[in-house]
């Protein structure tokens, strides 16, 4: 009966019920999670979303919202029981409105991130969120996971880029805060509840986002450094000198650099000798007449006791430097399995954390090999643990113990066990081990208030029992 | 009995019960709201706050949190019934921790804004929130009202400046998210619920805030313009050219400028002839070697068809220009009563809004005189309505009708009836007239979840009946 009703709402062609049709929606893109769905429903408008939600909730049927299905924690994959529908938002893909004077854009949840970036650029503006999956990830997913990426240092996470939301609540009502206002203090800022909630409180259907002036000049450099501490001093000195012009400050360990040089043919170290750590930094500037390159050379020269550095003098050289950063994941993949951690820490805590963690893991198992890189300017490390090439270790068997060693020390340092990937299914039973019980309690109060029947993406974020 | 218990918790000297002692806490600083309190309780630590809340809630006694008592909407004044305690946070005034490498500061709710600015500056950093009342307003109040001020254009509201909170919930439990992390996606971002909630969901006791590099050079200019539309084109052109270096962009109408020149002896118009509108703009720059003055002159010259402008060439000239902006409220006060509105709009909607509103009010009552100024870069207008000097109008009698004309047109334009002052008592029965009913419904669900007995600052933000 529900299938019939759903077809009435969105049209028969937009309710997928055969296993073959449903398959791509029931597995995450890394292939780690496999679920079953009653049906995949593909509404085209917020009105249809609203009716679908009302219809499902009336009959106690759970809803798993899904965007581009590029998440890393299984947050958009349905459970095994096959009792939920997957609500695919991809057909809500209109750019509703661009307001260049107000520097805002209103888009539907199913727009890809790249489509939003393009629409902004066509109006001579920047939408700064930028991720590896930007061609296929969708704005609704970016919002629901509060996505990060390579320019957070300057522009913030998705939360900071959002002025208003349209959300279908668990009772089917539509909450509309799509106002392009930079100041609004009329009661609770409800959009904040839904950003980063991974679909567990309601369905985001549209958003009004901030746009920025397009940078006209960029300067890019790579520095070789003796320690993370030196990298942080360089970060602080560069921020003091250039303020918000610093748009990227990425850390790369010697191990990661070596992997890239081994596995990526075009990769070449831009220094005569290797160093323990490298930093890739980029400045961006709205003034076309700015001698940003020269200023960066001058700045780095003034730090000469601290760093050896190269500055890219053209786009070709710039891409060569970025390749070394962007191919790390691919190089790690080619090198074999690694246990991945997406953590954040207060920046000041990072040098001691990495040193102590290195020792602790070496003591635990000498054949482990740390592969550390990340967004140092945001305090966000991709703290991955692989093994020495010659060791015959069963890394997967050690994963629970390695996770627990890493997360315990993250916890000790007031860090986060999920900086930018969210919780989803992957960490939902890990979160209660490290989160403040009062936080879990308050989260549950809000969940009960907004989704009393637990039908909004059940089995995600929230553990089975807290 | 409750008084005795409270004295046990915070010490007898910190529970004020005589009318004389309580008086300053029972009236707002503008003298518009007068209430009564069972007692004024002044805890010194978060543990004491927690015990006080638990003790009061157990006995069904309401709690009105109060900081510097500088709010503009009566949000910190108790009701008339005398059944609530005022919880004064002023003794929680420690700077707990500064982390210059991480660019964060952790402070208690009772610190004045000026104390936080000073502590940051001592460590060569900027805490950018800046308000007229910064010498006496407190961080807890700034957080609870999501305060704005003159640098929102560049640095955002209090919400954007906050990384973590410590909050005593309505059951006395302490929620601690005081982590200096720029990326953390481990479940709901609960701090967002309490920022801007005006104490209706819990008591904020401490916060971890973002710091910024100190600007080293500033350039300030005033432009005379034929229309608001020209001012917005200048805003957009200046943002495109200078990006985030634009830290202030303030609009002043000819009427306001005239009032300042009439009532403030030192005020002098920096142009040969008056213009319909003026803009005060300021650029800030972290590079000490920047020729920011020259760049601004060059930029304004390139706009010459559009604007007549003066650039301040020294600090003395800069202060002369700022005086014209900062003395508007004082000049309006000296000129007599005006009906004040703190509204925001999409920037692109402002020219038509002001034009249509002017006509509508003139039609309603020809003797009314608009006194418009505000933070144009944020879309935030102080849209005040006075009367012609010679008219013998009873302005106060017209206030309800004027409010309703203004707010209806704000509503039509997707604006906000409270941009930066909040709701408090002043607008709590106005809000339901203009807010989305679904928003009010969702706000109530969250209120019921976090404060089921309605003991957290009752009679504020939420109307009696929705």
């Amino acid at each position: 009966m529900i299938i019939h009703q759903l077809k009435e709402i969105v049209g028969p062609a937009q309710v997928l019920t055969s296993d073959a049709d449903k398959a791509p929606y029931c597995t995450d893109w890394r292939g780690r999670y496999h679920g079953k769905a009653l049906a995949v429903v593909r509404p085209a408008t917020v009105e249809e979303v609203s009716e679908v939600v009302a219809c499902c909730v009336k009959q106690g049927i759970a809803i798993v919202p899904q965007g581009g299905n590029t998440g890393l924690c299984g947050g958009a994959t349905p459970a095994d029981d096959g009792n939920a529908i997957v609500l695919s938002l991809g057909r809500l893909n209109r750019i509703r409105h661009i307001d260049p004077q107000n520097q805002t854009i209103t888009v539907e949840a199913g727009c890809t991130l790249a489509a939003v970036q393009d629409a902004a650029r066509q109006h001579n503006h920047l939408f700064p969120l930028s991720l590896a999956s930007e061609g296929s990830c969708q704005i609704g997913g970016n919002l629901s996971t509060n996505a990060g990426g390579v320019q957070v240092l300057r522009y913030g996470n998705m939360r900071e880029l959002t002025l208003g939301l349209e959300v279908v609540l668990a009772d089917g009502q539509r909450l509309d805060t799509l106002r392009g206002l930079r100041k609004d203090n009329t009661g609770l800022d409800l959009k904040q509840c839904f950003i980063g909630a991974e679909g567990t409180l309601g369905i985001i259907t549209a958003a009004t986002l901030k746009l920025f002036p397009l940078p006209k000049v960029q300067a890019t450099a790579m520095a070789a450094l003796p320690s993370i501490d030196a990298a942080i001093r360089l970060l602080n000195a560069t921020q003091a000198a250039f303020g918000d012009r610093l748009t990227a400050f990425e850390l790369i360990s010697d191990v990661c650099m070596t992997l890239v040089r081994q596995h990526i043919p075009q990769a070449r170290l831009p220094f005569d000798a290797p160093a323990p750590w490298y930093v890739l930094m980029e400045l961006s500037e709205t003034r076309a007449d700015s001698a940003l390159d020269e200023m960066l050379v001058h700045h780095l020269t003034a730090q000469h006791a601290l760093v050896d550095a190269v500055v890219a003098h053209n786009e070709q050289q710039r891409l060569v430097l970025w390749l070394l950063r962007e191919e790390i994941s691919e190089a790690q993949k080619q090198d074999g399995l690694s246990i991945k951690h997406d953590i954040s820490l207060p920046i000041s805590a990072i040098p001691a954390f990495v040193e102590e963690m290195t020792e602790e893991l070496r003591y635990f198992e000498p054949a482990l090999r740390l592969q550390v890189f990340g967004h140092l300017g945001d305090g966000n490390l991709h703290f991955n643990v692989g093994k020495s090439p010659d060791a015959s270790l069963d890394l997967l068997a050690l994963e629970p113990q390695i996770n627990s060693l890493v997360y315990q020390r993250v916890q000790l340092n007031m860090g986060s066990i999920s900086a930018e990937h969210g919780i989803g299914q992957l960490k939902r039973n890990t979160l209660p081990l490290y989160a403040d019980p009062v936080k879990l309690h308050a989260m549950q109060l809000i969940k009960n208030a907004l989704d009393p029947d637990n039908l909004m993406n059940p089995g995600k974020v929230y553990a089975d029992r807290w």
Side-chain angles (χ1 to χ4, degrees), chain A residues 220-222 252 268 270-271 280-281 310-312 316-326:
Chain A
T220 309
M222 185 166 277
I252 305 170
R268 213 165 307 286
F271 301 100
L280 177 64
M281 71 178 89
V310 292
V311 175
Q316 165 70 15
Q317 290 179 357
R318 175 177 173 267
L319 293 177
V320 166
L321 295 183
W322 270 104
L323 174 95
L324 298 172
R325 165 65 182 84
E326 282 166 352

Side-chain angles (χ1 to χ4, degrees), chain A residues 20-88:
Chain A
D21 287 347
K22 292 187 290 187
Y25 299 87
C26 292
T27 302
D28 73 311
W29 76 278
R30 284 214 243 181
R32 282 196 296 191
Y33 296 96
H34 307 278
K36 295 199 187 87
L38 205 57
V40 174
V41 184
R42 309 197 305 174
T45 65
V46 59
E47 291 78 10
E48 288 182 4
V49 174
S50 191
E51 285 185 63
V52 168
V53 169
C55 173
C56 285
V57 167
K58 210 168 173 181
Q59 298 174 58
I61 290 166
I63 298 167
V64 180
Q66 190 176 100
N69 198 15
T70 61
L72 297 173
C73 299
T77 310
D80 246 358
D81 57 26
N83 292 331
I85 65 157
V86 169
L87 186 72
S88 172

Side-chain angles (χ1 to χ4, degrees), chain A residues 242 245 283 285 290-301:
Chain A
F242 290 96
R245 269 164 287 199
L283 305 174
E285 166 64 76
S290 164
L292 203 57
D293 265 17
E294 279 173 45
M295 286 195 280
L296 183 54
V297 170
H298 190 264
H299 171 69
L300 289 168
T301 309

Side-chain angles (χ1 to χ4, degrees), chain A residues 64-308:
Chain A
V64 180
Q66 190 176 100
N69 198 15
T70 61
L72 297 173
C73 299
T77 310
D80 246 358
D81 57 26
N83 292 331
I85 65 157
V86 169
L87 186 72
S88 172
L89 279 300
R91 291 178 67 228
L92 278 89
N93 60 358
R94 290 182 310 144
I95 305 284
R96 287 197 194 161
H97 182 56
I98 297 191
D99 185 341
Q101 274 199 331
N102 196 43
Q103 302 200 73
T104 50
I105 186 168
T106 300
V107 302
E108 292 184 340
C111 291
T112 63
L113 175 52
V116 177
Q117 294 167 340
D118 288 348
R121 208 174 294 114
Q122 277 168 31
H123 288 77
N124 210 24
H125 276 85
L126 173 74
F127 181 66
L129 193 76
S130 178
L131 314 172
S133 62
E134 60 199 25
S136 46
C137 69
Q138 293 173 11
I139 290 296
N142 297 149
L143 287 159
S144 293
T145 57
N146 186 25
V150 292
Q151 298 201 86
V152 172
L153 178 59
R154 160 64 186 84
Y155 297 100
N157 295 289
M158 192 63 177
R159 185 184 300 279
E160 283 83 46
L161 301 174
T162 306
L163 293 175
L165 286 187
E166 180 185 78
V167 181
V168 172
L169 302 179
D171 58 6
Q173 287 195 85
R174 192 199 319 180
L175 173 69
D176 185 343
T177 67
L178 291 177
R179 301 188 174 203
L181 304 178
R182 280 168 174 79
K183 281 186 180 170
D184 180 17
N185 275 304
T186 49
L188 305 186
D189 187 6
L190 291 171
K191 67 174 179 286
Q192 305 293 351
C193 291
F194 302 96
I195 298 171
E198 304 186 32
T200 61
L201 301 179
I203 316 285
I204 297 172
T205 53
T208 299
L209 306 171
K210 290 185 198 168
L211 299 179
F212 293 81
L214 267 181
K216 299 192 190 73
V217 183
Q218 289 189 306
T220 309
M222 185 166 277
L225 295 147
S227 65
I228 300 186
D229 193 58
I232 294 174
R233 276 180 283 142
L234 180 60
L235 169 68
N236 291 153
T238 309
Q239 286 178 313
F242 290 96
D244 263 351
R245 269 164 287 199
L246 182 63
T247 46
F249 199 92
E250 301 283 311
L251 182 73
I252 305 170
S253 72
D254 182 41
V255 172
C256 289
M257 187 63 92
T258 303
L259 289 178
V260 172
R261 290 163 65 202
Q262 274 172 10
H263 296 286
I264 310 296
Q266 317 92 295
R268 213 165 307 286
L269 185 70
F271 301 100
D272 293 336
W277 296 95
Y278 304 91
V279 157
L280 177 64
M281 71 178 89
E282 192 156 88
L283 305 174
S284 304
E285 166 64 76
T286 51
R287 291 192 65 78
D289 60 357
S290 164
L292 203 57
D293 265 17
E294 279 173 45
M295 286 195 280
L296 183 54
V297 170
H298 190 264
H299 171 69
L300 289 168
T301 309
Q303 317 280 324
H304 61 89
L306 194 65
V307 296
D308 187 11

Side-chain angles (χ1 to χ4, degrees), chain A residues 360-378:
Chain A
E360 193 173 354
L361 289 171
R362 189 182 299 139
Y363 180 80
F364 170 70
E365 170 52 68
L368 293 180
R369 191 167 63 158
L370 277 179
Q371 303 168 357
V372 180
F373 66 105
H375 316 293
L376 185 63
D378 313 321

